């Protein structure tokens, strides 16, 4: 698995707005204690509220990895960033990126990193071989966040559950399966970049045998109802062998993300299919709650919607951003 050296300096580059720096926003929100500061180039319009620091200042303060916290269209690395990355390598930083463009393709950067003994970490890609899944039950407990669609808050919900469980002294570990999650956790596997035959096996590696009362909180990906990503969702599910599922939902979607010809699935249909598929590797799996993104609604209408969903599904329905994850943890 990818392992990152911490703490971090978060690189925002010349991000046009806060959304363009969403990777850095996620890291700063969930692991502020691991963030020394932010590095912004001229014309950057994103701000994490962290101290603005130069490479040298942050390095002197203990920063070990420069996280490329920008998520631009196409996942490319701008030529404007190259000099900053070369200087960071000279100062002894590891560099970590979740973009599609590999760091090693930046002219001169790989040679400089080898000479300085630093690492270029492309979190989207894994260079290790993974085993084929066995499906053999292993000790420990596992929760997987699943979705009616992609990008509906599966990572956020898993992290909110982690925060609540840690506050209660319950043994748990957030298991990252995407690039931003890996930067937050400091380790993980980007499952959407694993060869399909080995996807479930990679998740068995990610969620190994553990103490019987320990919970792995596995970051879900995609949706079984999304024609583009259902394969990733299913392989992740079978490798995780979840004991519990939390269904994540954004009721404001006019259709499946990127697929206007596909409507959002019915919540009860979604629960049934996810449980049916999960029970291939864990017959005891069941859904314990629903996490709903109500950010588009005022408080009173959000509360009404959650009550309606809860009544229909017979499960606790919460907005983890507004209400936290206490009721989801209660359900476990």
């Amino acid at each position: 698995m990818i392992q990152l050296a911490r703490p971090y300096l978060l690189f925002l580059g010349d991000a046009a707005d806060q959304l363009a720096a969403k990777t850095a926003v996620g890291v700063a929100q969930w692991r502020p204690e691991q963030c020394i500061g932010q590095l912004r180039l001229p014309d950057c319009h994103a701000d994490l509220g962290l101290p603005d620091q130069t490479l040298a200042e942050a390095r002197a303060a203990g920063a070990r990895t420069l996280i490329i916290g920008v998520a631009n269209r196409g996942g490319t690395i701008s030529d404007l960033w190259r000099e900053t990355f070369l200087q960071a390598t000279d100062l002894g930083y590891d560099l970590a990126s979740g973009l599609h463009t590999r760091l090693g393709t930046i002219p001169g950067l790989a040679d400089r990193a080898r000479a300085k003994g630093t690492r270029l970490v492309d979190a989207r890609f894994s260079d290790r071989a993974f085993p084929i899944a066995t499906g053999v039950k292993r000790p420990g407990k596992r929760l997987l966040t699943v979705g009616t669609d992609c990008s509906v808050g599966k990572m956020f919900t898993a992290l909110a559950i982690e925060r609540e469980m840690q506050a209660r002294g319950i043994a748990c570990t957030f298991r990252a399966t995407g690039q931003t999650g890996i930067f937050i956790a400091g380790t993980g596997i980007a499952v959407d970049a694993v060869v399909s035959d080995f996807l479930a096996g990679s998740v068995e590696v990610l969620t190994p045998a553990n103490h019987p009362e320990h919970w792995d909180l596995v970051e879900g990906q995609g949706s079984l109802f999304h024609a583009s990503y259902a394969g990733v969702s299913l392989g992740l599910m079978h490798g995780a062998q979840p004991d519990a599922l939390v269904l994540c939902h954004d009721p404001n979607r006019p259709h499946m993300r990127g697929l206007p010809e596909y409507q959002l699935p019915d919540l009860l249909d979604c629960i049934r299919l996810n449980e049916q598929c999960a029970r291939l590797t864990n017959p005891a799996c069941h859904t314990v709650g629903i996490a709903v993104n109500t950010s588009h609604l005022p408080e009173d209408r959000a509360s009404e919607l959650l009550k309606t969903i809860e009544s229909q599904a017979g499960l606790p329905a919460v907005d983890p951003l507004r209400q936290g994850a206490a009721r989801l943890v209660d359900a476990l």
Side-chain angles (χ1 to χ4, degrees):
M1 291 187 293
I2 292 169
Q3 297 278 349
L4 299 180
R6 295 185 284 189
Y8 306 140
L9 174 63
L10 300 179
F11 176 77
L12 306 187
D14 51 353
D17 52 31
Q18 203 77 353
L19 184 60
K22 65 179 183 179
T23 297
V25 170
V27 178
Q29 177 179 14
W30 290 104
R31 294 294 185 267
E33 72 282 0
Q34 297 295 344
C35 301
I36 296 292
Q38 63 184 13
L39 174 58
R40 301 189 290 172
L41 299 181
D43 295 325
C44 179
H45 296 282
D47 188 352
L48 305 175
L50 295 171
D52 285 297
Q53 292 189 313
T54 66
L55 288 167
E57 288 170 343
R59 184 69 176 144
R64 299 181 62 193
T65 300
L66 181 69
I67 298 285
I68 291 80
V70 187
N72 56 24
R73 185 174 178 84
T76 60
I77 292 178
S78 168
D79 291 339
L80 296 174
W81 306 346
R82 177 174 178 266
E83 188 57 36
T84 300
F85 294 171
L86 290 170
Q87 292 175 7
T89 302
D90 285 342
L91 287 170
Y93 282 92
D94 291 345
L95 270 63
S97 168
L99 299 173
H100 289 289
T101 304
R102 288 181 181 260
L103 290 167
T105 64
I106 299 174
L109 188 60
D111 290 339
R112 192 79 65 92
R114 278 192 293 269
K116 296 294 182 178
T118 62
R119 297 187 302 153
L120 303 180
V121 180
D122 292 297
R124 188 175 291 273
F125 307 97
S126 177
D127 294 325
R128 67 160 289 177
F130 293 108
I132 293 175
T134 66
V136 175
K137 182 65 176 166
R138 52 198 185 277
K141 298 180 180 180
R142 291 162 194 89
L143 177 146
L144 174 66
T145 51
V146 297
T148 54
D149 194 4
C150 59
S151 302
V152 288
K154 293 182 288 291
M155 182 189 76
F156 188 99
T157 299
L159 287 163
I161 292 171
E162 179 200 42
R163 177 173 289 174
E164 178 66 25
M165 294 181 84
Q166 287 179 340
R168 300 187 189 194
I170 301 172
C172 65
T173 304
F174 169 69
R175 300 297 188 182
T177 62
Q179 295 77 40
T180 302
I182 289 171
F183 294 156
I184 292 170
T187 185
I189 297 171
V191 296
D192 62 359
V194 177
V195 174
S196 58
D197 273 1
F198 307 100
L199 196 162
S202 73
V203 183
E204 289 185 349
V205 171
L206 179 67
T207 59
N210 215 317
H211 186 277
E213 296 303 314
H214 177 278
W215 281 93
D216 275 344
L217 309 173
V218 187
E219 174 192 8
Q221 298 292 335
S223 168
L224 293 180
F225 287 83
H226 198 291
S228 304
Y229 308 117
V232 174
S233 306
L234 187 62
L236 170 55
M237 175 179 286
H238 288 162
Q241 296 183 356
D243 300 279
L245 303 175
V246 171
L247 178 64
C248 303
H249 178 55
D250 182 352
N252 199 41
R253 297 280 173 91
H255 52 74
M256 300 295 280
R257 185 173 174 86
L259 301 177
E261 65 275 24
Y262 283 85
Q263 299 303 306
L264 288 176
D266 175 81
L267 285 177
L268 296 183
D269 288 344
C270 198
I271 289 170
R272 281 191 289 266
L273 182 61
N274 276 280
E275 288 182 342
Q276 180 182 358
C277 292
R279 286 170 181 166
L280 175 70
T281 54
N282 188 347
C285 178
H286 63 282
T287 306
V288 298
I290 303 172
V292 186
N293 180 350
T294 65
S295 59
H296 63 289
L297 295 173
E299 190 70 38
D300 57 340
R301 290 184 59 198
S303 178
E304 182 180 344
L305 174 64
L306 292 172
K307 289 179 181 177
T308 299
I309 291 175
E310 188 162 320
S311 176
Q312 291 174 344
L315 294 167
V318 304
D319 184 329
L321 179 61
R322 279 178 152 157
Q323 303 167 325
R327 295 186 65 217
L328 299 176
V329 176
D330 289 343
L332 289 178

